[in-house]
Amino acid sequence: MSKMIKITYREALKQALREALQTDEKVFLMGEDVGRYGGAFAVSKGFLEEFGPDRIMDVPLSESGFTGAGIGAALGGMKPIVEVMTVNFSLLAMDQIINNASTLLHMSGGQVNVSVVIRMGCGIGSQLAAQHSHSWEPFYAHVPGLIVLSVGVHEDARGMVLTALKSPDPVILFEYTSMLNMEGEIPENSGEVDISKAKVRRSGNDISLITYGTGVYKCLEAAALLAEDGIDAEVLDLRVLRPMDEESILESISKTHRALVVEDAWRSVSISSEVSARIMEKGFFELDLPVERLCGVEVPMPYPKHLETAALPQPMDIADKVKKMLRS
Amino acid sequence: MQKKTVGKSKVSSKQGNKLLHQMMLIRRFEEKSAEAYTETKIRGFLHLYSGEEAVAVGVTQALGENDNVLSTYREHGHAIAKGLDPKTIMAEMYGKQEGCSKGRGGSMHLFDASKKFFGGSAIVGGHLPLAVGMALASKKQNLDNITCCFFGEGAGAEGEFHESMNLASLWKVPVLFVCENNLYAMGTAIRFTHSIQELEKRGDSYGIPSASVDGMDLLAVMDAVKKAVSTIKKTGGPYFLVCNTYRFRAHSMFDAELYREKSEVEEWKKKDPIPKFRDYLLNANLLSEKEVDAIEKSVEKEVDEAIDFAENGTWEDIRDLTKFVYSEKEAE
C-alpha cells in the first residue's frame, strides 16, 4: 500500500498535465490564457517556462476555431489537450465537438479517429450568475462518439487526463473550479485511472446516492451526516457519463434497493433522468422505493448567494431527502 | 465561341490529356449521379460540381500524395481529382459498404485516409478549423506537406472562416485556403451575403497573401495555385486563393433555381472550362480529335463501371449498425 499524500485538486490536475507533457512529446496544451497568464485557474502556471510556447499555446478567443484546430491536430497525428476555459464558452465550440469530433470516425467508416482531449472548467457556487454557472454534462453525454468524464475526486484529477490521452476517441473532461483549492488524500504513486467504470466512494447498505462531479463530496458529506442517524448510505461516483457504466449502478441497487440521484445540472433531460430510467428498465424489481432525484432547480442561476445556494442540492438537502425516503 | 485561355501555364501533351480526362470524368460522373438520383438509387442531398471542374483539377494537380485535402458537401470533384476511385465514390453514394466511407457517409461525406482526403463536411465552414489543425500538426512534426481546404464563398460569412484565417496566420501554418466563389450560397447571391465581394481582399486583414483567379480557366488556376503552393513552401504560412467560378446545375436536387435567370446560367456555360481547355489543347496540337474521342469513351466506361460497382455492392448487415461510434482498435 502506497503512502497517502495531501494534495489540492488544482495541484492534482497540474501534476497530471505535467506528467502528460513530460512523457509524450506529441502532447501539447492549447487554450485561452494557458501560457503567459498561467491558466485562468492557475492550473498550468509555470508550464510555459517549462515546456515552451510550442507546447503551451495561448490562443485567441476563438472557441470554435481552436477547438476545431485541436481536432484537426489530432487527425494530423498529435495529442492535443484543448482547454476550454469554462464550460460556458464551450457552447461556442459545440459545432466542432459535435459535428466533427464525434462524427468523423463514423462518417469515414472507421478510417479517421479523433484522439483529442477537451478539458472544461465547470464552476457553480461563486456567485457567477446565469452565464457562468452552467452544468453542461448532460448536453455532451447525449452524444454518441464522445467519451464524457467527470472529475469528482482528487485521484481522478491526478489520473483521468493521462488515461484520456490514450483514448483513440474524443474525451470531454469536466473539471470543477469550485474544488480547486479543496484538499484531498491520494496515494503518492497516483497516475492513470480506469475511465470505463463508475466507482463506489463509500460503501453502504441502506441507499445508493448516485452522483458525479461536485456531487461526490456533497454526497459523502451527506452520508457522514446520515451515519450519525444510523443510516448507511453508499455513494456511487458515476465518473464516466458516457458511455454510462450501467452495471455498477445496478450492482449498487441490488445491494441497497433504494436510490437517490444527485446532480447540479437542471433536472429535466439530465444525467439523473438517464440513471433513473436505466434503473427502472433493468433494476425495477430490485427496488423497495421509487428512485428519487435532487437536481439543480430549473432557473438561470441567480446572482445572490442565498438564491444560488437554494438552487443547488446541498449536503443537508441530500441527508433530509434520504431520511424522508427511508421513513416512507 | 470559347474565350481564349488567359493562363500561362504550359502543359505537356501527356499532362494535358490527364487533366482533360479528369475534368471530363468529373462532369460525366456528376451527370450519371443526377440520373442515379432520379432513379432513387442515390438519396439524401446531392450537390453537383458541374461547371467548377477547373478548380478541383487545377488546384489538386499541384498537390502531392502527402498533402491533405478537406472539402465541402460538393466534393465529388475534389475526391476524384485527389485520386479516389470513382467506383468507391459511387458505391458510397449508393450507401453500399464498398463505398469509400463504408457507406456511412453518403455523397456529402467522402473520405479516404490513404489518399489524404478528409471529407466531405456538410456544416458550412466547419472544416476550416480542422484544416488549420492538420496544418499545425504538420508544422509541429516538421512534415513538409500542406493542407488544402476547399470551401464556398458562403463559408466566408461564417465566424469559423474568420477564426481559421486568424489562427492560420498567427500560427503560420501551411494551409491553402481555396474559396470556390460560385456566386451563390445555396440560393442567395453574393451581393446579399458579403459586404466586400472581392473576397481575396479579406486576406489582407489577416496578413495572409491572397489572390483571385478565373476559376473557369484551368491554366489560370494552375498558374495561381503554383504561386500559392510555392509561397506556402517558402513561408511555411497560409495562402488564400479565391477561384471565381459558377455551378451550372442547381444547388442540390431539390432546388427550383428561382433565384437566378436561365440566361445567366447560359452566359456562364459559354465559359465552360472543359471545352475551353480541350480547344486549347487541340489548337496547340497537344491533343488530337481522336484522343479527345478516346477520353470521352474512357470516361463513359469508367463511370459505367462505377455504376456497376455500386449496383453490385452490398448492404452492410444491420447487426453492425452501431459500428464506428467508438474505435475498436486498442489505444497504443
Side-chain angles (χ1 to χ4, degrees), chain A residues 54 64-65 69 72-73 76 95-96 100 106-107 109 111 145-146 166 169 242, chain B residues 100-101 104 109 111-113 126 129 133-134 140-141 160 163 324 326-327 331:
Chain A
D54 286 344
S64 190
D95 173 45
Q96 289 302 326
N100 287 336
H106 183 258
M107 293 197 300
Q111 293 178 77
L146 299 180
K166 305 228 161 134
D169 300 317
R242 171 177 279 274
Chain B
C100 59
S101 309
R104 293 293 181 121
H109 305 303
F111 283 80
D112 189 338
M134 293 192 81
K140 283 185 180 296
Q141 294 167 97
E160 283 169 327
E163 294 187 7
F324 312 127
Y326 295 101
S327 298

PDB file of all heavy atoms in Angstrom, chain A residues 54 64-65 69 72-73 76 95-96 100 106-107 109 111 145-146 166 169 242, chain B residues 100-101 104 109 111-113 126 129 133-134 140-141 160 163 324 326-327 331:
ATOM      1  N   ASP A  54       5.593  26.272 -27.987  1.00  0.00           N
ATOM      2  CA  ASP A  54       5.043  25.313 -28.962  1.00  0.00           C
ATOM      3  C   ASP A  54       4.161  24.275 -28.277  1.00  0.00           C
ATOM      4  O   ASP A  54       3.271  23.701 -28.882  1.00  0.00           O
ATOM      5  CB  ASP A  54       6.175  24.579 -29.697  1.00  0.00           C
ATOM      6  CG  ASP A  54       6.851  25.482 -30.714  1.00  0.00           C
ATOM      7  OD1 ASP A  54       6.253  26.532 -31.054  1.00  0.00           O
ATOM      8  OD2 ASP A  54       7.980  25.156 -31.132  1.00  0.00           O
ATOM      9  N   SER A  64     -14.530  28.038 -31.282  1.00  0.00           N
ATOM     10  CA  SER A  64     -14.774  27.090 -32.360  1.00  0.00           C
ATOM     11  C   SER A  64     -13.480  26.836 -33.131  1.00  0.00           C
ATOM     12  O   SER A  64     -13.126  25.701 -33.439  1.00  0.00           O
ATOM     13  CB  SER A  64     -15.859  27.656 -33.280  1.00  0.00           C
ATOM     14  OG  SER A  64     -16.271  26.682 -34.174  1.00  0.00           O
ATOM     15  N   GLY A  65     -12.785  27.914 -33.419  1.00  0.00           N
ATOM     16  CA  GLY A  65     -11.551  27.814 -34.199  1.00  0.00           C
ATOM     17  C   GLY A  65     -10.491  26.974 -33.523  1.00  0.00           C
ATOM     18  O   GLY A  65      -9.952  26.036 -34.114  1.00  0.00           O
ATOM     19  N   ALA A  69      -9.222  23.298 -34.392  1.00  0.00           N
ATOM     20  CA  ALA A  69      -7.800  23.103 -34.708  1.00  0.00           C
ATOM     21  C   ALA A  69      -7.222  21.965 -33.864  1.00  0.00           C
ATOM     22  O   ALA A  69      -6.380  21.198 -34.337  1.00  0.00           O
ATOM     23  CB  ALA A  69      -7.025  24.399 -34.482  1.00  0.00           C
ATOM     24  N   GLY A  72      -8.331  18.904 -35.557  1.00  0.00           N
ATOM     25  CA  GLY A  72      -7.510  18.748 -36.766  1.00  0.00           C
ATOM     26  C   GLY A  72      -6.105  18.275 -36.435  1.00  0.00           C
ATOM     27  O   GLY A  72      -5.548  17.416 -37.122  1.00  0.00           O
ATOM     28  N   ALA A  73      -5.526  18.814 -35.359  1.00  0.00           N
ATOM     29  CA  ALA A  73      -4.179  18.397 -34.974  1.00  0.00           C
ATOM     30  C   ALA A  73      -4.168  16.923 -34.571  1.00  0.00           C
ATOM     31  O   ALA A  73      -3.209  16.204 -34.842  1.00  0.00           O
ATOM     32  CB  ALA A  73      -3.668  19.269 -33.827  1.00  0.00           C
ATOM     33  N   GLY A  76      -4.052  14.979 -37.553  1.00  0.00           N
ATOM     34  CA  GLY A  76      -2.699  15.054 -38.102  1.00  0.00           C
ATOM     35  C   GLY A  76      -1.654  14.318 -37.276  1.00  0.00           C
ATOM     36  O   GLY A  76      -0.467  14.426 -37.552  1.00  0.00           O
ATOM     37  N   ASP A  95     -20.219  23.153 -32.300  1.00  0.00           N
ATOM     38  CA  ASP A  95     -20.227  22.680 -33.685  1.00  0.00           C
ATOM     39  C   ASP A  95     -19.041  21.760 -33.927  1.00  0.00           C
ATOM     40  O   ASP A  95     -19.185  20.677 -34.500  1.00  0.00           O
ATOM     41  CB  ASP A  95     -20.180  23.879 -34.649  1.00  0.00           C
ATOM     42  CG  ASP A  95     -20.018  23.454 -36.096  1.00  0.00           C
ATOM     43  OD1 ASP A  95     -20.731  22.504 -36.506  1.00  0.00           O
ATOM     44  OD2 ASP A  95     -19.202  24.037 -36.823  1.00  0.00           O
ATOM     45  N   GLN A  96     -17.880  22.168 -33.457  1.00  0.00           N
ATOM     46  CA  GLN A  96     -16.681  21.357 -33.667  1.00  0.00           C
ATOM     47  C   GLN A  96     -16.750  20.044 -32.895  1.00  0.00           C
ATOM     48  O   GLN A  96     -16.392  18.984 -33.400  1.00  0.00           O
ATOM     49  CB  GLN A  96     -15.431  22.140 -33.244  1.00  0.00           C
ATOM     50  CG  GLN A  96     -15.094  23.283 -34.191  1.00  0.00           C
ATOM     51  CD  GLN A  96     -14.869  22.809 -35.605  1.00  0.00           C
ATOM     52  OE1 GLN A  96     -14.352  21.718 -35.839  1.00  0.00           O
ATOM     53  NE2 GLN A  96     -15.275  23.611 -36.570  1.00  0.00           N
ATOM     54  N   ASN A 100     -17.967  17.536 -35.667  1.00  0.00           N
ATOM     55  CA  ASN A 100     -16.703  16.969 -36.150  1.00  0.00           C
ATOM     56  C   ASN A 100     -16.141  15.886 -35.231  1.00  0.00           C
ATOM     57  O   ASN A 100     -16.027  14.737 -35.632  1.00  0.00           O
ATOM     58  CB  ASN A 100     -15.669  18.069 -36.385  1.00  0.00           C
ATOM     59  CG  ASN A 100     -15.996  18.896 -37.624  1.00  0.00           C
ATOM     60  OD1 ASN A 100     -16.677  18.430 -38.534  1.00  0.00           O
ATOM     61  ND2 ASN A 100     -15.541  20.128 -37.658  1.00  0.00           N
ATOM     62  N   HIS A 106     -17.223   7.851 -37.572  1.00  0.00           N
ATOM     63  CA  HIS A 106     -18.359   7.187 -38.189  1.00  0.00           C
ATOM     64  C   HIS A 106     -18.515   7.565 -39.662  1.00  0.00           C
ATOM     65  O   HIS A 106     -18.663   6.708 -40.527  1.00  0.00           O
ATOM     66  CB  HIS A 106     -19.640   7.529 -37.415  1.00  0.00           C
ATOM     67  CG  HIS A 106     -20.839   6.818 -37.939  1.00  0.00           C
ATOM     68  ND1 HIS A 106     -21.766   7.440 -38.740  1.00  0.00           N
ATOM     69  CD2 HIS A 106     -21.243   5.542 -37.825  1.00  0.00           C
ATOM     70  CE1 HIS A 106     -22.695   6.557 -39.077  1.00  0.00           C
ATOM     71  NE2 HIS A 106     -22.404   5.409 -38.529  1.00  0.00           N
ATOM     72  N   MET A 107     -18.468   8.856 -39.930  1.00  0.00           N
ATOM     73  CA  MET A 107     -18.665   9.298 -41.326  1.00  0.00           C
ATOM     74  C   MET A 107     -17.604   8.744 -42.259  1.00  0.00           C
ATOM     75  O   MET A 107     -17.827   8.629 -43.459  1.00  0.00           O
ATOM     76  CB  MET A 107     -18.644  10.827 -41.406  1.00  0.00           C
ATOM     77  CG  MET A 107     -19.800  11.505 -40.721  1.00  0.00           C
ATOM     78  SD  MET A 107     -20.004  13.227 -41.253  1.00  0.00           S
ATOM     79  CE  MET A 107     -18.452  13.950 -40.780  1.00  0.00           C
ATOM     80  N   GLY A 109     -16.358   5.805 -41.986  1.00  0.00           N
ATOM     81  CA  GLY A 109     -16.407   4.347 -41.956  1.00  0.00           C
ATOM     82  C   GLY A 109     -15.244   3.755 -41.175  1.00  0.00           C
ATOM     83  O   GLY A 109     -14.714   2.706 -41.547  1.00  0.00           O
ATOM     84  N   GLN A 111     -12.222   5.082 -40.681  1.00  0.00           N
ATOM     85  CA  GLN A 111     -10.858   5.385 -41.155  1.00  0.00           C
ATOM     86  C   GLN A 111     -10.141   6.421 -40.327  1.00  0.00           C
ATOM     87  O   GLN A 111      -8.916   6.435 -40.231  1.00  0.00           O
ATOM     88  CB  GLN A 111     -10.909   5.931 -42.592  1.00  0.00           C
ATOM     89  CG  GLN A 111     -11.350   4.943 -43.630  1.00  0.00           C
ATOM     90  CD  GLN A 111     -11.406   5.619 -44.985  1.00  0.00           C
ATOM     91  OE1 GLN A 111     -10.388   5.847 -45.621  1.00  0.00           O
ATOM     92  NE2 GLN A 111     -12.599   5.959 -45.444  1.00  0.00           N
ATOM     93  N   GLY A 145     -20.240   8.790 -29.624  1.00  0.00           N
ATOM     94  CA  GLY A 145     -18.960   9.117 -30.248  1.00  0.00           C
ATOM     95  C   GLY A 145     -18.057   9.868 -29.286  1.00  0.00           C
ATOM     96  O   GLY A 145     -16.849   9.858 -29.439  1.00  0.00           O
ATOM     97  N   LEU A 146     -18.648  10.514 -28.298  1.00  0.00           N
ATOM     98  CA  LEU A 146     -17.847  11.201 -27.286  1.00  0.00           C
ATOM     99  C   LEU A 146     -17.689  10.304 -26.065  1.00  0.00           C
ATOM    100  O   LEU A 146     -18.570   9.498 -25.770  1.00  0.00           O
ATOM    101  CB  LEU A 146     -18.529  12.500 -26.826  1.00  0.00           C
ATOM    102  CG  LEU A 146     -18.791  13.583 -27.870  1.00  0.00           C
ATOM    103  CD1 LEU A 146     -19.477  14.774 -27.224  1.00  0.00           C
ATOM    104  CD2 LEU A 146     -17.497  14.007 -28.554  1.00  0.00           C
ATOM    105  N   LYS A 166      -4.793   8.412 -23.872  1.00  0.00           N
ATOM    106  CA  LYS A 166      -4.570   7.123 -24.560  1.00  0.00           C
ATOM    107  C   LYS A 166      -5.806   6.684 -25.335  1.00  0.00           C
ATOM    108  O   LYS A 166      -5.763   5.695 -26.063  1.00  0.00           O
ATOM    109  CB  LYS A 166      -4.188   6.054 -23.541  1.00  0.00           C
ATOM    110  CG  LYS A 166      -2.988   6.460 -22.707  1.00  0.00           C
ATOM    111  CD  LYS A 166      -1.961   5.377 -22.610  1.00  0.00           C
ATOM    112  CE  LYS A 166      -0.625   5.945 -22.186  1.00  0.00           C
ATOM    113  NZ  LYS A 166       0.029   5.177 -21.142  1.00  0.00           N
ATOM    114  N   ASP A 169     -10.450   7.939 -29.116  1.00  0.00           N
ATOM    115  CA  ASP A 169     -11.652   8.726 -29.412  1.00  0.00           C
ATOM    116  C   ASP A 169     -11.720   9.976 -28.530  1.00  0.00           C
ATOM    117  O   ASP A 169     -11.085  10.033 -27.483  1.00  0.00           O
ATOM    118  CB  ASP A 169     -12.887   7.837 -29.215  1.00  0.00           C
ATOM    119  CG  ASP A 169     -12.855   6.633 -30.144  1.00  0.00           C
ATOM    120  OD1 ASP A 169     -12.513   6.811 -31.320  1.00  0.00           O
ATOM    121  OD2 ASP A 169     -13.108   5.502 -29.677  1.00  0.00           O
ATOM    122  N   ARG A 242     -20.570   9.067 -20.250  1.00  0.00           N
ATOM    123  CA  ARG A 242     -20.814   8.361 -21.496  1.00  0.00           C
ATOM    124  C   ARG A 242     -19.550   7.681 -21.903  1.00  0.00           C
ATOM    125  O   ARG A 242     -18.529   8.352 -21.950  1.00  0.00           O
ATOM    126  CB  ARG A 242     -21.261   9.308 -22.623  1.00  0.00           C
ATOM    127  CG  ARG A 242     -21.298   8.598 -23.990  1.00  0.00           C
ATOM    128  CD  ARG A 242     -21.792   9.452 -25.078  1.00  0.00           C
ATOM    129  NE  ARG A 242     -23.244   9.518 -25.108  1.00  0.00           N
ATOM    130  CZ  ARG A 242     -24.031   8.631 -25.729  1.00  0.00           C
ATOM    131  NH1 ARG A 242     -23.491   7.597 -26.348  1.00  0.00           N
ATOM    132  NH2 ARG A 242     -25.316   8.775 -25.760  1.00  0.00           N
TER     133      ARG A 242
ATOM    134  N   CYS B 100     -16.347   4.440 -50.271  1.00  0.00           N
ATOM    135  CA  CYS B 100     -15.079   4.934 -49.699  1.00  0.00           C
ATOM    136  C   CYS B 100     -15.214   5.240 -48.216  1.00  0.00           C
ATOM    137  O   CYS B 100     -14.219   5.277 -47.500  1.00  0.00           O
ATOM    138  CB  CYS B 100     -14.579   6.159 -50.464  1.00  0.00           C
ATOM    139  SG  CYS B 100     -15.712   7.549 -50.494  1.00  0.00           S
ATOM    140  N   SER B 101     -16.423   5.470 -47.721  1.00  0.00           N
ATOM    141  CA  SER B 101     -16.638   5.649 -46.280  1.00  0.00           C
ATOM    142  C   SER B 101     -17.503   4.521 -45.732  1.00  0.00           C
ATOM    143  O   SER B 101     -18.256   4.704 -44.785  1.00  0.00           O
ATOM    144  CB  SER B 101     -17.297   7.004 -46.001  1.00  0.00           C
ATOM    145  OG  SER B 101     -16.617   8.048 -46.632  1.00  0.00           O
ATOM    146  N   ARG B 104     -21.288   4.802 -44.862  1.00  0.00           N
ATOM    147  CA  ARG B 104     -21.821   5.516 -43.699  1.00  0.00           C
ATOM    148  C   ARG B 104     -21.961   7.017 -43.931  1.00  0.00           C
ATOM    149  O   ARG B 104     -22.640   7.703 -43.175  1.00  0.00           O
ATOM    150  CB  ARG B 104     -20.922   5.278 -42.474  1.00  0.00           C
ATOM    151  CG  ARG B 104     -20.920   3.854 -41.976  1.00  0.00           C
ATOM    152  CD  ARG B 104     -22.263   3.459 -41.406  1.00  0.00           C
ATOM    153  NE  ARG B 104     -22.256   2.102 -40.897  1.00  0.00           N
ATOM    154  CZ  ARG B 104     -22.529   1.780 -39.629  1.00  0.00           C
ATOM    155  NH1 ARG B 104     -22.839   2.718 -38.761  1.00  0.00           N
ATOM    156  NH2 ARG B 104     -22.513   0.526 -39.258  1.00  0.00           N
ATOM    157  N   HIS B 109     -20.096  13.052 -47.460  1.00  0.00           N
ATOM    158  CA  HIS B 109     -19.012  12.678 -46.536  1.00  0.00           C
ATOM    159  C   HIS B 109     -18.113  11.608 -47.153  1.00  0.00           C
ATOM    160  O   HIS B 109     -18.068  10.481 -46.687  1.00  0.00           O
ATOM    161  CB  HIS B 109     -19.593  12.194 -45.206  1.00  0.00           C
ATOM    162  CG  HIS B 109     -20.520  13.192 -44.573  1.00  0.00           C
ATOM    163  ND1 HIS B 109     -20.134  14.470 -44.270  1.00  0.00           N
ATOM    164  CD2 HIS B 109     -21.819  13.096 -44.212  1.00  0.00           C
ATOM    165  CE1 HIS B 109     -21.162  15.132 -43.740  1.00  0.00           C
ATOM    166  NE2 HIS B 109     -22.191  14.317 -43.701  1.00  0.00           N
ATOM    167  N   PHE B 111     -14.596  10.034 -47.709  1.00  0.00           N
ATOM    168  CA  PHE B 111     -13.308  10.001 -47.004  1.00  0.00           C
ATOM    169  C   PHE B 111     -12.421   8.935 -47.630  1.00  0.00           C
ATOM    170  O   PHE B 111     -12.913   7.880 -48.041  1.00  0.00           O
ATOM    171  CB  PHE B 111     -13.491   9.605 -45.523  1.00  0.00           C
ATOM    172  CG  PHE B 111     -14.005  10.715 -44.642  1.00  0.00           C
ATOM    173  CD1 PHE B 111     -15.355  11.028 -44.614  1.00  0.00           C
ATOM    174  CD2 PHE B 111     -13.139  11.448 -43.841  1.00  0.00           C
ATOM    175  CE1 PHE B 111     -15.828  12.045 -43.794  1.00  0.00           C
ATOM    176  CE2 PHE B 111     -13.613  12.465 -43.021  1.00  0.00           C
ATOM    177  CZ  PHE B 111     -14.957  12.771 -42.994  1.00  0.00           C
ATOM    178  N   ASP B 112     -11.143   9.189 -47.694  1.00  0.00           N
ATOM    179  CA  ASP B 112     -10.176   8.135 -47.987  1.00  0.00           C
ATOM    180  C   ASP B 112      -8.846   8.545 -47.362  1.00  0.00           C
ATOM    181  O   ASP B 112      -8.093   9.344 -47.926  1.00  0.00           O
ATOM    182  CB  ASP B 112     -10.023   7.920 -49.493  1.00  0.00           C
ATOM    183  CG  ASP B 112      -9.196   6.675 -49.804  1.00  0.00           C
ATOM    184  OD1 ASP B 112      -8.416   6.238 -48.925  1.00  0.00           O
ATOM    185  OD2 ASP B 112      -9.336   6.134 -50.918  1.00  0.00           O
ATOM    186  N   ALA B 113      -8.618   8.011 -46.172  1.00  0.00           N
ATOM    187  CA  ALA B 113      -7.420   8.417 -45.421  1.00  0.00           C
ATOM    188  C   ALA B 113      -6.156   8.059 -46.193  1.00  0.00           C
ATOM    189  O   ALA B 113      -5.164   8.781 -46.120  1.00  0.00           O
ATOM    190  CB  ALA B 113      -7.424   7.761 -44.041  1.00  0.00           C
ATOM    191  N   GLY B 126     -17.340  24.546 -41.174  1.00  0.00           N
ATOM    192  CA  GLY B 126     -16.935  23.731 -40.025  1.00  0.00           C
ATOM    193  C   GLY B 126     -15.620  23.004 -40.198  1.00  0.00           C
ATOM    194  O   GLY B 126     -15.001  22.611 -39.215  1.00  0.00           O
ATOM    195  N   PRO B 129     -11.460  25.092 -39.374  1.00  0.00           N
ATOM    196  CA  PRO B 129     -10.580  24.898 -38.213  1.00  0.00           C
ATOM    197  C   PRO B 129      -9.830  23.565 -38.256  1.00  0.00           C
ATOM    198  O   PRO B 129      -8.676  23.492 -37.828  1.00  0.00           O
ATOM    199  CB  PRO B 129     -11.553  24.940 -37.023  1.00  0.00           C
ATOM    200  CG  PRO B 129     -12.718  25.740 -37.513  1.00  0.00           C
ATOM    201  CD  PRO B 129     -12.849  25.373 -38.962  1.00  0.00           C
ATOM    202  N   GLY B 133      -5.805  22.933 -37.999  1.00  0.00           N
ATOM    203  CA  GLY B 133      -5.224  21.994 -37.039  1.00  0.00           C
ATOM    204  C   GLY B 133      -4.349  20.944 -37.702  1.00  0.00           C
ATOM    205  O   GLY B 133      -3.293  20.576 -37.174  1.00  0.00           O
ATOM    206  N   MET B 134      -4.783  20.465 -38.861  1.00  0.00           N
ATOM    207  CA  MET B 134      -3.947  19.475 -39.564  1.00  0.00           C
ATOM    208  C   MET B 134      -2.631  20.112 -39.998  1.00  0.00           C
ATOM    209  O   MET B 134      -1.566  19.496 -39.912  1.00  0.00           O
ATOM    210  CB  MET B 134      -4.697  18.899 -40.756  1.00  0.00           C
ATOM    211  CG  MET B 134      -5.896  18.068 -40.325  1.00  0.00           C
ATOM    212  SD  MET B 134      -6.619  17.091 -41.666  1.00  0.00           S
ATOM    213  CE  MET B 134      -5.496  15.703 -41.658  1.00  0.00           C
ATOM    214  N   LYS B 140       4.212  21.028 -36.383  1.00  0.00           N
ATOM    215  CA  LYS B 140       4.785  20.521 -35.141  1.00  0.00           C
ATOM    216  C   LYS B 140       5.665  19.294 -35.378  1.00  0.00           C
ATOM    217  O   LYS B 140       6.603  19.045 -34.652  1.00  0.00           O
ATOM    218  CB  LYS B 140       3.679  20.176 -34.140  1.00  0.00           C
ATOM    219  CG  LYS B 140       3.069  21.412 -33.470  1.00  0.00           C
ATOM    220  CD  LYS B 140       2.075  21.000 -32.404  1.00  0.00           C
ATOM    221  CE  LYS B 140       1.443  22.195 -31.717  1.00  0.00           C
ATOM    222  NZ  LYS B 140       2.395  23.031 -30.969  1.00  0.00           N
ATOM    223  N   GLN B 141       5.327  18.505 -36.399  1.00  0.00           N
ATOM    224  CA  GLN B 141       6.087  17.278 -36.655  1.00  0.00           C
ATOM    225  C   GLN B 141       7.137  17.471 -37.745  1.00  0.00           C
ATOM    226  O   GLN B 141       7.710  16.491 -38.238  1.00  0.00           O
ATOM    227  CB  GLN B 141       5.120  16.144 -37.031  1.00  0.00           C
ATOM    228  CG  GLN B 141       4.199  15.755 -35.879  1.00  0.00           C
ATOM    229  CD  GLN B 141       3.032  14.855 -36.311  1.00  0.00           C
ATOM    230  OE1 GLN B 141       3.092  13.645 -36.181  1.00  0.00           O
ATOM    231  NE2 GLN B 141       1.983  15.452 -36.856  1.00  0.00           N
ATOM    232  N   GLU B 160     -16.329  30.870 -38.356  1.00  0.00           N
ATOM    233  CA  GLU B 160     -15.214  29.926 -38.408  1.00  0.00           C
ATOM    234  C   GLU B 160     -14.210  30.298 -39.507  1.00  0.00           C
ATOM    235  O   GLU B 160     -13.034  29.956 -39.414  1.00  0.00           O
ATOM    236  CB  GLU B 160     -15.731  28.500 -38.572  1.00  0.00           C
ATOM    237  CG  GLU B 160     -16.263  27.967 -37.221  1.00  0.00           C
ATOM    238  CD  GLU B 160     -17.029  26.660 -37.321  1.00  0.00           C
ATOM    239  OE1 GLU B 160     -17.694  26.444 -38.353  1.00  0.00           O
ATOM    240  OE2 GLU B 160     -16.980  25.874 -36.364  1.00  0.00           O
ATOM    241  N   GLU B 163     -12.118  32.963 -37.735  1.00  0.00           N
ATOM    242  CA  GLU B 163     -11.281  32.351 -36.704  1.00  0.00           C
ATOM    243  C   GLU B 163     -10.133  31.558 -37.330  1.00  0.00           C
ATOM    244  O   GLU B 163      -8.996  31.608 -36.869  1.00  0.00           O
ATOM    245  CB  GLU B 163     -12.132  31.455 -35.790  1.00  0.00           C
ATOM    246  CG  GLU B 163     -13.146  32.245 -34.969  1.00  0.00           C
ATOM    247  CD  GLU B 163     -13.895  31.406 -33.927  1.00  0.00           C
ATOM    248  OE1 GLU B 163     -13.557  30.227 -33.729  1.00  0.00           O
ATOM    249  OE2 GLU B 163     -14.830  31.954 -33.298  1.00  0.00           O
ATOM    250  N   PHE B 324     -18.411   1.895 -35.664  1.00  0.00           N
ATOM    251  CA  PHE B 324     -17.775   3.184 -35.990  1.00  0.00           C
ATOM    252  C   PHE B 324     -18.244   4.329 -35.101  1.00  0.00           C
ATOM    253  O   PHE B 324     -18.165   5.492 -35.483  1.00  0.00           O
ATOM    254  CB  PHE B 324     -17.990   3.567 -37.463  1.00  0.00           C
ATOM    255  CG  PHE B 324     -17.706   2.476 -38.442  1.00  0.00           C
ATOM    256  CD1 PHE B 324     -18.645   2.106 -39.399  1.00  0.00           C
ATOM    257  CD2 PHE B 324     -16.485   1.805 -38.412  1.00  0.00           C
ATOM    258  CE1 PHE B 324     -18.376   1.093 -40.312  1.00  0.00           C
ATOM    259  CE2 PHE B 324     -16.213   0.790 -39.315  1.00  0.00           C
ATOM    260  CZ  PHE B 324     -17.173   0.429 -40.265  1.00  0.00           C
ATOM    261  N   TYR B 326     -17.318   4.206 -31.669  1.00  0.00           N
ATOM    262  CA  TYR B 326     -16.045   4.288 -30.942  1.00  0.00           C
ATOM    263  C   TYR B 326     -15.046   3.374 -31.647  1.00  0.00           C
ATOM    264  O   TYR B 326     -15.428   2.391 -32.279  1.00  0.00           O
ATOM    265  CB  TYR B 326     -16.223   3.856 -29.479  1.00  0.00           C
ATOM    266  CG  TYR B 326     -17.123   4.810 -28.710  1.00  0.00           C
ATOM    267  CD1 TYR B 326     -18.459   4.489 -28.464  1.00  0.00           C
ATOM    268  CD2 TYR B 326     -16.647   6.039 -28.271  1.00  0.00           C
ATOM    269  CE1 TYR B 326     -19.291   5.376 -27.785  1.00  0.00           C
ATOM    270  CE2 TYR B 326     -17.470   6.931 -27.599  1.00  0.00           C
ATOM    271  CZ  TYR B 326     -18.792   6.586 -27.359  1.00  0.00           C
ATOM    272  OH  TYR B 326     -19.600   7.473 -26.702  1.00  0.00           O
ATOM    273  N   SER B 327     -13.776   3.711 -31.507  1.00  0.00           N
ATOM    274  CA  SER B 327     -12.736   2.912 -32.153  1.00  0.00           C
ATOM    275  C   SER B 327     -12.715   1.517 -31.558  1.00  0.00           C
ATOM    276  O   SER B 327     -12.858   1.359 -30.349  1.00  0.00           O
ATOM    277  CB  SER B 327     -11.369   3.556 -31.937  1.00  0.00           C
ATOM    278  OG  SER B 327     -11.335   4.825 -32.529  1.00  0.00           O
ATOM    279  N   ALA B 331      -5.975   1.452 -27.981  1.00  0.00           N
ATOM    280  CA  ALA B 331      -5.040   2.576 -27.991  1.00  0.00           C
ATOM    281  C   ALA B 331      -3.628   2.044 -27.846  1.00  0.00           C
ATOM    282  O   ALA B 331      -3.420   0.994 -27.253  1.00  0.00           O
ATOM    283  CB  ALA B 331      -5.361   3.506 -26.838  1.00  0.00           C
TER     284      ALA B 331
END
